[in-house]
Amino acid sequence: MRFSKRMERLDTSVFSKLDEEKSKYIEEGKEVFDFTIGSPNIAPSDEIIHTLIKAAKDPKSYMYALHDIEELRLAVKQWYKERYLVDLDPNTEILSLQGSQEGLAHIALAICDEGDIVMIPSPSYPVFANGPRIAGAQIYEMPMKEENNFIIQLQDIPEEIAKKAKMMIVSYPNNPTGVTAPDSFYEELIRFAKKYDIIVLHDTAYSNLVFDGEEGKSFLYYKGAKDVGIEFNSFSKTYGMAGARIGMCVGNKDIVAMLRKLKSNIDYGMFLPIQKAAITALTQDQSIVEKTRIEYQKRRDMLVKGLRDLGWNVEPCQATMFMWAKIPDQYQTSEQFSIELLKQTGILVTPGSTFGKYGEGFVRIALVQSEDVIQRALQKIKEVGFFL
């Protein structure tokens, strides 16, 4: 058998590998505390669940959807207006995604030709690189360094790269670093994109999980953003609907149209009960979002205090459901530290090297466990004296 050379550009998902390691330790009778994959354990509201169940009982729901129903597009328009102060045309500037990851995997196919350059942040979520690689694009990693508070330094991008680049992916609040970007960054980003004729894709999956009183904004809030790009938004973290697989592409109508054309050749639209559940999510009492944000902030604060008390001086994240922690000095690599932490304590975290070369020296800790599990994990560290 001979397979596509395209597959040589991809590695097996790191989360699959980590899950294998987790299974080995469970088989040995050990308790594993899994802080790797960002799969929310905060369930959707009762209203969302009831809408989904009701719609799933309707036999008409099992026909091809073919497109986003008008009620969903209007709900997204209204939500973006109220939440982000952004006006969207429901007919040309809104497109549903079967999870934002699906969109990230496909968008380069609609924009890039073989050999085109796509600029991505580093460290970054793996699909930021893998989506363009599937399309045959070349990757240029934009460093996000600790000394710059993990903000991309656009002025440091070589001009020959900027001139050749077709697309750039940016994501704040950022996964994995957990930082937010100031208004000045977005203003500079739009100027940069216009100067070099680069399409911007902004991933804003965590804009509703911003802590300590700061408010997450939309990229499209900034003047000129629609001229250069689009934004992907997600229901996974905001509304606890990760398994339902629903996201949104909004913004520049020409880019949205190209992605819509591509998707029309790939799928037959989103399952209607999921669309109706999404409508409920957007139109329900939005205090549910604040409750979710508070819960993640409590988990963050608990972990930061607990780990600092035990000797690991981690920094609190500004946003997202992830903490980005520098590994202790005695460890040479993030993978080495992660394996040793697992062996001695049963705590599973994601090595920073997973997220690109500039992720080395850190690990990502997902805030996906209850306070009770966090407390047990901290107690295990204390028992074995891991950081002593």
Side-chain angles (χ1 to χ4, degrees):
M1 294 182 183
R2 287 184 284 179
F3 299 99
S4 167
K5 286 183 170 53
R6 183 179 298 107
M7 294 305 296
E8 296 174 6
R9 305 168 188 163
L10 305 177
D11 294 321
T12 301
S13 167
V14 65
F15 299 114
S16 297
K17 294 179 182 178
L18 290 169
D19 195 57
E20 289 177 11
E21 290 297 317
K22 174 182 175 180
S23 297
K24 291 177 185 178
Y25 280 85
I26 291 175
E27 288 172 5
E28 294 173 3
K30 300 176 181 177
E31 183 177 15
V32 173
F33 307 96
D34 192 347
F35 293 92
T36 54
I37 191 167
S39 181
N41 68 337
I42 300 175
S45 67
D46 290 342
E47 289 85 352
I48 293 173
I49 294 172
H50 290 157
T51 296
L52 183 59
I53 293 171
K54 181 180 178 181
K57 289 180 177 179
D58 183 352
K60 294 179 182 178
S61 293
Y62 294 87
M63 300 175 68
Y64 289 134
L66 295 181
H67 54 75
D68 301 332
I69 59 177
E70 182 180 20
E71 190 181 359
L72 174 60
R73 289 182 279 112
L74 291 175
V76 173
K77 172 183 171 61
Q78 185 64 26
W79 185 71
Y80 250 81
K81 179 64 175 177
E82 293 179 357
R83 171 62 186 85
Y84 299 110
L85 304 180
V86 170
D87 284 311
L88 295 170
D89 185 321
N91 297 312
T92 62
E93 296 180 341
I94 297 172
L95 174 67
S96 73
L97 305 169
Q98 298 198 34
S100 56
Q101 176 147 318
E102 175 262 312
L104 288 161
H106 288 145
I107 185 65
L109 291 170
I111 294 175
C112 299
D113 294 314
E114 289 274 344
D116 282 343
I117 293 176
V118 174
M119 298 190 292
I120 67 168
S122 180
S124 68
Y125 194 55
V127 76
F128 286 9
N130 290 337
R133 285 187 181 125
I134 292 170
Q138 298 181 47
I139 301 299
Y140 175 81
E141 291 185 300
M142 300 180 288
M144 295 195 303
K145 298 181 179 180
E146 185 180 21
E147 58 261 36
N148 298 318
N149 195 32
F150 302 106
I151 300 298
I152 297 167
Q153 302 299 293
L154 296 170
Q155 72 275 9
D156 293 341
I157 297 172
E159 188 157 12
E160 63 269 22
I161 295 294
K163 286 180 176 179
K164 293 178 181 178
K166 191 75 156 293
M167 180 174 79
M168 65 189 303
I169 301 175
V170 177
S171 180
Y172 292 105
N174 182 257
N175 171 15
T177 66
V179 303
T180 59
D183 292 346
S184 58
F185 170 78
Y186 288 106
E187 292 161 356
E188 182 184 2
L189 172 64
I190 294 165
R191 289 194 297 269
F192 181 88
K194 286 184 175 181
K195 178 179 178 180
Y196 293 106
D197 190 23
I198 298 172
I199 291 173
V200 175
L201 165 58
H202 185 255
D203 179 19
T204 187
Y206 301 95
S207 57
N208 292 301
L209 295 181
V210 181
F211 307 135
D212 303 316
E214 184 180 350
E215 184 180 9
K217 294 181 180 179
S218 164
F219 165 62
L220 302 177
Y221 170 80
Y222 299 93
K223 185 178 179 180
K226 273 193 197 178
D227 297 334
V228 298
I230 57 173
E231 178 166 86
F232 284 179
N233 214 320
S234 172
F235 287 64
S236 296
K237 281 70 181 182
T238 302
Y239 297 111
M241 299 175 68
R245 309 312 303 135
I246 181 165
M248 285 290 159
C249 170
V250 297
N252 181 280
K253 63 183 178 64
D254 296 323
I255 306 171
V256 172
M258 281 295 101
L259 185 55
R260 180 181 287 112
K261 181 178 180 180
L262 175 68
K263 283 174 60 63
S264 73
N265 287 278
I266 293 174
D267 62 58
Y268 286 103
M270 183 175 296
F271 187 38
L272 286 169
I274 299 295
Q275 293 196 45
K276 292 179 180 180
I279 294 165
T280 295
L282 297 174
T283 57
Q284 68 182 334
D285 181 352
Q286 295 298 294
S287 64
I288 192 74
V289 179
E290 176 67 4
K291 291 177 183 177
T292 298
R293 187 200 64 76
I294 290 172
E295 177 59 30
Y296 281 120
Q297 182 169 321
K298 285 170 61 180
R299 295 177 183 184
R300 178 204 67 173
D301 294 345
M302 185 177 183
L303 262 175
V304 169
K305 183 180 186 306
L307 291 173
R308 284 179 171 179
D309 288 346
L310 292 168
W312 190 11
N313 189 28
V314 299
E315 293 296 324
C317 54
Q318 295 173 287
T320 78
M321 57 195 301
F322 304 108
M323 283 173 39
W324 190 238
K326 184 179 288 188
I327 64 175
D329 293 338
Q330 63 267 37
Y331 295 94
Q332 295 184 341
T333 69
S334 56
E335 184 174 343
Q336 177 196 19
F337 169 74
S338 299
I339 291 172
E340 194 61 29
L341 183 67
L342 175 61
K343 286 181 177 179
Q344 290 197 37
T345 69
I347 295 173
L348 195 57
V349 297
T350 307
S353 55
T354 300
F355 303 100
K357 64 183 179 182
Y358 292 99
E360 185 54 83
F362 293 82
V363 293
R364 192 189 74 173
I365 307 171
L367 305 174
V368 294
Q369 299 293 351
S370 66
E371 292 178 57
D372 176 63
V373 174
I374 292 172
Q375 188 58 54
R376 294 208 312 273
L378 292 171
Q379 182 60 34
K380 187 65 176 181
I381 294 173
K382 183 177 181 180
E383 288 174 4
V384 302
F386 187 79
F387 294 108
L388 298 180

